Amino acid sequence: GRAQQAHKVMWKLMKGAIPAGQKLLHHCGNRKCIRPGNGHITLGTSTENNRETVQDGRWRSQHTKSRTAPGTPKDKGVR
């Protein structure tokens, strides 16, 4: 079969299907975490995930590889 991300497999085993329009959010900030619930992985929307990522300082531009959040002045520092 097709390869699947470990956190999604664990969620499905422990909590059931991921509802349409929902994503798994890593509240702990560790993208390798596979622990559903208890402040680690919860359901949410893409908008919620993006907002939390920016607020926590984990946002990284795919184009510049900087940590400058959308809508802020460009970072002139080390990239």
Side-chain angles (χ1 to χ4, degrees):
R2 193 175 128 198
Q4 296 183 47
Q5 295 175 315
H7 67 289
K8 291 181 181 180
V9 172
M10 185 61 93
W11 181 274
K12 290 174 187 175
L13 289 172
M14 303 286 293
K15 304 273 189 174
I18 300 168
Q22 295 285 292
K23 307 284 183 190
L24 296 180
L25 312 184
H26 288 90
H27 292 292
C28 60
N30 180 0
R31 294 189 315 165
K32 294 180 181 180
C33 179
I34 62 169
R35 297 170 60 184
N38 296 327
H40 290 272
I41 299 175
T42 60
L43 289 172
T45 65
S46 291
T47 300
E48 291 169 328
N49 189 45
N50 292 338
R51 184 180 311 118
E52 181 178 295
T53 301
V54 169
Q55 288 173 347
D56 292 348
R58 294 182 282 128
W59 188 85
R60 183 177 291 274
S61 170
Q62 294 177 358
H63 302 290
T64 65
K65 302 297 184 209
S66 74
R67 290 187 178 265
T68 305
T72 60
K74 292 283 184 194
D75 177 22
K76 301 288 184 196
V78 178
R79 294 182 193 263

